[in-house]
Amino acid sequence: KQHIGVLNGLTVLVTAGPTWEALDPVRSLTNHSSGKMGYAIAKAAVQEGAAVKLVSGPTNLTPPKGIDVQPVTTALEMLAAVEDSVSSAHIFIGVAAVTDYRPELYEQQKIKKNSSVLKLNLIRNPDILANVANRAMPPFTVGFAAETENVIDNAKAKLSTKGCDWIIANDVSMISGVLSGDENTVHLITETESEDWPTLSKTEVGERLAKRIALNLSDELGSSSVGS
Ligand code: C5P
């Protein structure tokens, strides 16, 4: 019996994992990110019938079956991969922990520890989520925000500065291990509401998010087709 998913016929683009910004052949700047949340969302979207493309920074996870996975290392590579695929996506979910700054210079040889202080010049990386949300014809765009304080207020601010449709906010201050663990406690922030979700496995967060997005898109379609 075939399960008709709520995202049947839709294309979903997901970013997951960290990015690595190399300083020299053996060192990088990065963020802590297991990639588990993004992979769980990608899997949930496939189970709901979507065609899923996953642009993934370096993780230890096995690429899920049925998903077109494009591995990348740096933020600039992640942006390029997203730009290649986003025009055909109906939904974009940015879960990657993108490194905010990259070294200005890449040293071809391993940097020697000759001095007691080493100064690095860092350059701001592009904001991939904001780039997607500010396109002329953006997909339905969801960002993730890991916060350590004022979780809801900071997430609401991000919704407007980045211009995305929804933010999933999670408090990473209390639960140690949320970044590498299998559970997450999140809040769904939209322009008009903030919804507290119970602590769920990352798999369940993915499933719930896939269903909420589908419901929202079908509501939007329903209301825009009224009278047409
Ligand atoms: O501003 P902050 O990094 O907390 O925002 C997190 C959200 O923005 C996540 O969805 C993340 O994937 C996205 N992001 C991005 N590109 C960046 C920084 C963050 O897409 N350079």
Side-chain angles (χ1 to χ4, degrees):
K1 220 171 27 178
Q2 211 191 331
H3 160 72
I4 306 291
V6 292
L7 294 175
N8 248 2
L10 297 179
T11 299
V12 180
L13 178 60
V14 181
T15 66
T19 67
W20 285 4
E21 315 292 331
L23 282 160
D24 70 15
V26 297
R27 303 185 181 98
S28 295
L29 294 179
T30 190
N31 287 324
H32 294 300
S33 170
S34 66
K36 284 179 184 172
M37 192 63 252
Y39 278 56
I41 289 170
K43 282 185 211 167
V46 164
Q47 267 157 24
E48 289 300 344
V52 178
K53 167 117 190 194
L54 175 61
V55 179
S56 177
T59 74
N60 293 321
L61 303 174
T62 310
K65 288 208 180 71
I67 295 179
D68 175 12
V69 183
Q70 183 167 353
V72 296
T73 304
T74 67
L76 292 178
E77 287 170 8
M78 186 173 274
L79 176 64
V82 165
E83 282 180 339
D84 276 350
S85 302
V86 69
S87 59
S88 58
H90 302 97
I91 299 161
F92 174 81
I93 310 174
V95 198
V98 182
T99 311
D100 288 317
Y101 292 87
R102 67 179 180 277
E104 182 178 30
L105 296 173
Y106 172 76
E107 297 294 341
Q108 299 291 335
Q109 306 299 332
K110 188 179 170 191
I111 299 165
K112 295 289 174 208
K113 44 181 174 296
N114 294 328
S115 54
S116 59
V117 174
L118 174 67
K119 287 197 174 161
L120 292 174
N121 273 343
L122 303 177
I123 299 182
R124 184 80 178 261
N125 268 331
D127 191 308
I128 299 165
L129 176 64
N131 263 275
V132 170
N134 288 294
R135 290 173 65 86
M137 300 272 285
F140 186 79
T141 305
V142 182
F144 264 70
E147 302 288 351
T148 54
E149 55 176 358
N150 302 328
V151 177
I152 308 289
D153 285 347
N154 283 334
K156 278 192 179 147
K158 260 173 211 177
L159 194 67
S160 62
T161 53
K162 293 181 188 259
C164 53
D165 293 291
W166 290 356
I167 288 271
I168 304 291
N170 63 329
D171 187 338
V172 292
S173 68
M174 291 178 306
I175 326 147
S176 61
V178 68
L179 293 175
S180 59
D182 293 320
E183 288 193 335
N184 212 348
T185 313
V186 303
H187 314 268
L188 168 63
I189 313 292
T190 75
E191 213 175 7
T192 51
E193 57 199 326
S194 129
E195 201 176 282
D196 303 328
W197 291 8
T199 298
L200 299 168
S201 69
K202 288 181 178 177
T203 300
E204 289 165 328
V205 172
E207 287 164 356
R208 195 160 167 155
L209 180 60
K211 292 200 171 82
R212 282 294 263 109
I213 293 173
L215 183 65
N216 188 70
L217 293 183
S218 67
D219 283 353
E220 274 182 8
L221 267 179
S223 56
S224 66
S225 63
V226 168
S228 66

